[in-house]
Amino acid sequence: MNTRRRTLLVLLLLALTGCAAAPERPETMRQALFGLSERVAEQVAASPTLPRPATDQVLLLAMPEIDPDLGLSDERLMESLTRALLGLDDGPQVLDWRPSLADGAGRNQWRLDSRLSASAPRLQLSDRELLPYRLTLTLRRPGHDQALWQTHIDGALDATAL
């Protein structure tokens, strides 16, 4: 193999290695929230409170409460959560929660409340800024304040994707 081909081969391998080693960075808000929303869907689907089969259940998704320090709109998180929950295999039906739905709620209806809060100050890395968060999920019966199930998800969002 001549020197020119060998050099080109080495450059190609370095380029491919660099691409493979570079961490993936979300390019859009949808991608940034996708992983979080999938974790939510998995946690809800695994909830011991939600009867089986989940396909017979109706999940009433309340508008998320979001800490303003995160700079994230509640509509974007709501859209992402809805998509992830609807994407579950054999998952529940998903509707937007409205207070009027509390009256006459069926035994197969559940309200999912979510609260996304900043859990620490922003973390400045060399190539990006991370927003640590804690997402609290609470499953209730419509029209009742008593939490039947609650869990927390901790993580960090890439601020450059927001």
Side-chain angles (χ1 to χ4, degrees), residues 34-114:
F34 181 74
L36 172 59
S37 297
E38 279 195 329
R39 288 178 62 196
V40 167
E42 290 168 4
Q43 295 263 344
V44 170
S47 163
T49 305
L50 199 62
R52 303 292 181 260
T55 54
D56 294 338
Q57 305 306 308
V58 177
L59 196 59
L60 304 169
L61 190 57
M63 185 63 72
E65 295 177 38
I66 300 178
D67 187 334
D69 291 341
L70 293 172
L72 180 65
S73 77
D74 50 4
E75 290 88 11
R76 286 187 173 185
L77 181 57
M78 179 75 156
E79 176 189 352
S80 184
L81 292 173
T82 302
R83 287 178 184 271
L85 289 163
L86 287 171
L88 284 172
D89 290 334
D90 299 323
Q93 300 171 50
V94 180
L95 298 173
D96 289 345
W97 162 254
R98 303 283 183 253
S100 62
L101 295 174
D103 297 331
R107 295 184 50 83
N108 68 333
Q109 294 181 350
W110 305 83
R111 188 179 87 209
L112 180 65
D113 295 320
S114 55

